[in-house]
Amino acid sequence: MGAPTILEKRPLSPQPRTPVGDDPASSPAKRRRVITADKHSAEATENPDSSAVIAEPNAQKLAETVAFVERAFGLWKAFADENSSLECDCAPLRGRSDYRIWSRKVKIVLKRNFVLDLVEGNIGQLPQSHPLDSDLAKLNVTAAMIINKNLSALTKPIVRTITNPREMWEKLERHCKPSDWTLAQTGWFDLQRIKYSRCSNVREYVDRIDDAWRCICLDKDDALEKHELARCASLVFSLDTPRWESWKMGVLSGRKTNIPSWASLVDRLLAAE
């Protein structure tokens, strides 16, 4: 009897693609720079500084750090001439009231500057004698600068004596991140107050409903999915002006099997504005 055929496991659904606007390799010139950075990163992983790696008790962690620094610094340096923004598109952090949205927005800026892993503590340190230590120091300076630029006069003093970006982030989180109970409570209170008549347009209305539910579900995707029907219901029933009555009746009169998803309902609402 012949050997059994080994079947290759494949994902059931296509992998999500990175939006073109967020992809650092969205043009031929950018792709060449990314490929160059990846090549240096691969060479660093395959041929790390042997004496440094052997001397370290955690050689694997050191090799990963070296590979990260090679790639991140190469990309950061390649795109420095494009004046990557260091400021997010939200107001500087005031405190507990806006920490959640602020942290999400600043993480986007950190990621675009290739330093988010540093701030989140996913990258180790290098020995001071390592040839890449100065490159890692420049990445740390960039990360710390991004955090500082997005703090208000009220929150800058919290990290005034700290230069390490990971320590800065952790201290801001300890001081400003609301508890789960406070966050969920805020979401419920906001949801009761949100009405279409109090918003300037449909986009603001949708965003406010969505943010309230994200607070209630603590920004957990599985919890948001679990409460999909309730989210859709709140989006429909808080349309409190006469102009939406016929639209609401059209949605509510649909058969049970045609209950829309949150995404499709938002699309219909925006299209009807």
Side-chain angles (χ1 to χ4, degrees), residues 8-139:
E8 180 184 357
K9 295 178 67 176
R10 296 183 179 179
L12 297 178
S13 59
Q15 297 300 309
R17 297 178 60 188
T18 303
V20 174
D22 293 336
D23 185 1
S26 57
S27 69
K30 292 182 179 181
R31 283 196 292 272
R32 285 195 295 273
R33 286 182 282 182
V34 172
I35 291 171
T36 301
D38 284 339
K39 181 179 179 181
H40 290 321
S41 176
E43 291 173 352
T45 304
E46 294 173 2
N47 303 298
D49 185 278
S50 58
S51 60
V53 173
I54 293 173
E56 281 290 323
N58 193 350
Q60 179 63 31
K61 185 65 175 178
L62 178 61
E64 291 173 356
T65 301
V66 168
F68 167 81
V69 175
E70 282 277 1
R71 173 177 166 77
F73 185 76
L75 290 171
W76 176 80
K77 188 175 181 181
F79 290 102
D81 60 337
E82 298 187 6
N83 299 316
S84 297
S85 175
L86 301 182
E87 297 183 12
C88 66
D89 58 355
C90 67
L93 176 65
R94 298 188 304 274
R96 294 173 64 87
S97 62
D98 61 339
Y99 174 80
R100 186 178 138 273
I101 294 176
W102 176 88
S103 63
R104 188 170 69 240
K105 296 279 190 178
V106 172
K107 281 183 179 181
I108 294 174
V109 179
L110 292 166
K111 184 175 182 180
R112 288 176 179 167
N113 284 273
F114 316 104
V115 292
L116 179 59
D117 282 332
L118 282 178
V119 171
E120 292 188 332
N122 299 326
I123 304 302
Q125 295 298 313
L126 294 173
Q128 291 185 353
S129 59
H130 197 282
L132 294 180
D133 185 55
S134 61
D135 292 348
L136 179 58
K138 291 175 183 176
L139 293 173

Side-chain angles (χ1 to χ4, degrees), residues 165-214:
R166 179 183 177 185
E167 294 176 5
M168 293 171 69
W169 192 264
E170 290 175 345
K171 188 169 184 182
L172 287 168
E173 186 176 76
R174 288 197 301 272
H175 279 251
C176 302
K177 183 179 180 180
S179 67
D180 288 353
W181 167 252
T182 301
L183 191 59
Q185 186 182 47
T186 298
W188 278 116
F189 286 155
D190 287 345
L191 194 62
Q192 303 305 312
R193 292 193 294 263
I194 298 170
K195 301 294 180 184
Y196 174 79
S197 59
R198 300 174 185 173
C199 300
S200 58
N201 52 46
V202 172
R203 183 75 265 176
E204 180 190 347
Y205 171 73
V206 169
D207 288 345
R208 289 182 62 185
I209 293 282
D210 181 54
D211 192 63
W213 273 105
R214 288 184 176 278

